[in-house]
Amino acid sequence: MSEDEHGRITIRAIADEAGVSVPTVSRVINGRSDVAPETRKRVEELLNERGYQRRRSTRAPSRARLVDLVFNELDSPWAVEIIRGVEDAAHAAGVGTVVSAVHRRRASTEQWLDNLRTRASDGVILVVSQLASPILEQLRHLGVPMVVLDPSGGPTMDAPAIGATNWAGGLAATEHLVSLGHRRIGFIHGPKQVLCSRARFDGYRAAFDAAGLAYDPTMVYDGDFSHQSGFDAAAALLRLPEPPTAIFASSDQMAFGAYEAIRQAGLRIPEQVSVVGFDDLPESRWTSPPLTTVRQPLAEMGALAARTVLEMAAGNEIDSPRLELATELVVRESTARYTD
C-alpha cells in the first residue's frame, strides 16, 4: 500500500487494491450515486481499513464551480491562446477559470497547492513540462481530476493528455520547402529536453529521407522558442560559407527573430531566404511578409482539455489517455521557389 510524502494513504493505492479506477474512488469519496453498490461497499471498506484521510470539503451547494489552469510561465504568446480556449469551454459549462504560474519553483507550486485546497477546484489543467513526483502525489491525494495540456509534448504524468501532431507538422513544413526547390534548409531547434522540439526535428529529418536528400547537421542550430534565440541561430546560419536558402524555425517566436536577422544581413524574405515557423500565433499573419507556418490548434487544445477535465469531475471515464489534434501547414508569403 503506497503512501504520500506525509505518510497518508493515496487514492491511487486504494484504487489499485480495490481493482477500480481512480475516478471511481473519487466518486465514492465525494458521495456520488453513479457507483455500483458492491463497488461502493468494497471501496468504503478499504478507505476505512487503511485510514484514508478525506479532504475536508469547503464546497457548498451554491459555490462557484472552478477549474485551475496552471502554467510554468505566462510569458509565452501561446499561453494566451490556450487560456482563450479553456475560458470558452469552461464558460459554456458555467465554470470559472483560475490561471496560475508556478515559475518552475517548488515554493510557488506549494503555494498554488495550498490555494487549491482552499478553493476545492473541480479539476486541474496542467500546462507544464514536468512536476515533481511528491507534488503529483499531493494532487492525487486531493482527489482532484487532472489533465495535462501538452503543447510541449512532455510526459503525461499518468494523467490524460492533450497534444498536437508535432512530427507531422515538422514533416509538412520541410516537405513544403523541398517542393519549392530548397535543398539547404536551416533548422532552428527548440529546447532539446522538450519532446515536441525533438518531434519537430524528427519530422524535418524525415522529409529529407523521404525526398532522398542528404541531411546536413551543420544546418541545425539550437534555440529555446524565444525571439532572441531565433535571431541568434538565424544569424549564425547566415554566416555559414554556404548559408541556407530557407530556414524552418520550430516556433513562430523564433521565426520572428529569424526575420530580423535576415533583414540585418541585408537579405529579402522570401526572394533570398524563405522562412517557415510553427504555432500560427495571431501575429503570424501580420508580419511583413505574412509568415508561412504550421498551425498548432492551441485554443482547440485548451477547450478540449477543459471539457475533458469537467467530464472527469462528473465521474465519467476517459476513453483515451492521450489525444493529439492535427497540425496544418498554413502557406502565406514568407516562402518562395528557390531559383539559383
Side-chain angles (χ1 to χ4, degrees):
M1 180 65 63
S2 63
E3 300 177 344
D4 66 14
E5 64 179 350
H6 302 295
R8 296 175 298 212
I9 300 302
T10 65
I11 288 178
R12 178 166 296 279
I14 296 290
D16 289 344
E17 187 164 352
V20 299
S21 67
V22 170
T24 297
V25 177
S26 295
R27 291 199 292 272
V28 173
I29 291 171
N30 292 322
R32 294 184 59 90
S33 60
D34 50 348
V35 180
E38 61 274 16
T39 300
R40 180 184 301 280
K41 180 181 178 182
R42 183 165 72 256
V43 171
E44 287 283 9
E45 287 175 350
L46 283 171
L47 290 169
N48 292 330
E49 288 174 10
R50 304 308 180 192
Y52 178 80
Q53 299 176 21
R54 301 183 191 232
R55 181 168 58 140
R56 291 181 181 178
S57 177
T58 59
R59 304 182 182 192
S62 61
R63 71 179 179 86
R65 296 181 61 197
L66 296 172
V67 167
D68 269 67
L69 175 58
V70 187
F71 294 85
N72 275 333
E73 306 284 351
L74 282 170
D75 58 356
S76 172
W78 49 252
V80 176
E81 293 300 296
I82 291 172
I83 293 170
R84 181 166 63 84
V86 171
E87 282 274 351
D88 286 349
H91 178 75
V95 177
T97 306
V98 179
V99 180
S100 305
V102 296
H103 304 292
R104 304 178 189 272
R105 294 194 294 268
R106 184 176 179 86
S108 298
T109 307
E110 291 283 3
Q111 182 179 12
W112 166 68
L113 278 170
D114 288 342
N115 293 336
L116 179 68
R117 292 185 186 95
T118 300
R119 60 178 167 262
S121 279
D122 290 275
V124 174
I125 300 170
L126 295 166
V127 194
V128 295
S129 55
Q130 59 183 356
L131 277 179
S133 294
I135 302 299
L136 291 174
E137 281 302 317
Q138 289 184 57
L139 278 174
R140 295 186 186 111
H141 179 72
L142 288 172
V144 180
M146 178 172 52
V147 170
V148 179
L149 198 159
D150 193 21
S152 63
T156 63
M157 304 180 201
D158 198 21
I162 311 297
T165 55
N166 288 289
W167 182 89
L171 178 73
T174 312
E175 285 184 336
H176 170 65
L177 293 170
V178 170
S179 73
L180 293 173
H182 296 279
R183 298 296 179 264
R184 296 196 309 277
I185 302 171
F187 181 80
I188 305 179
H189 210 301
K192 289 186 176 177
Q193 74 275 16
V194 177
L195 295 183
C196 80
S197 298
R198 305 207 299 260
R200 294 170 194 179
F201 174 64
D202 288 344
Y204 162 82
R205 289 201 59 176
F208 281 92
D209 292 340
L213 300 174
Y215 155 71
D216 182 357
T218 67
M219 286 280 166
V220 178
Y221 276 75
D222 291 344
D224 59 11
F225 287 156
S226 70
H227 185 286
Q228 183 65 53
S229 70
F231 174 86
D232 293 340
L237 283 165
L238 295 173
R239 288 194 296 267
L240 291 173
E242 290 189 88
T245 62
I247 295 174
F248 172 25
S250 57
S251 80
D252 284 354
Q253 283 290 97
M254 294 195 298
F256 301 152
Y259 266 40
E260 185 58 28
I262 292 166
R263 290 193 186 100
Q264 289 192 19
L267 301 172
R268 298 187 308 279
I269 305 169
E271 292 86 353
Q272 293 169 288
V273 184
S274 288
V275 180
V276 178
F278 200 112
D279 285 327
D280 194 26
L281 298 176
E283 51 265 51
S284 297
R285 71 191 64 182
W286 303 115
T287 55
S288 181
L291 178 65
T292 294
T293 186
V294 177
R295 181 175 184 269
Q296 182 173 208
L298 296 166
E300 291 91 332
M301 290 162 66
L304 180 57
R307 291 193 294 270
T308 300
V309 82
L310 290 173
E311 282 289 310
M312 295 170 68
N316 298 322
E317 299 285 348
I318 303 303
D319 293 334
S320 175
R322 180 174 178 85
L323 294 171
E324 289 192 340
L325 302 189
T327 52
E328 176 188 4
L329 180 68
V330 180
V331 178
R332 298 196 179 102
E333 299 171 30
S334 66
T335 52
R337 181 163 296 280
Y338 172 66
T339 54
D340 195 353

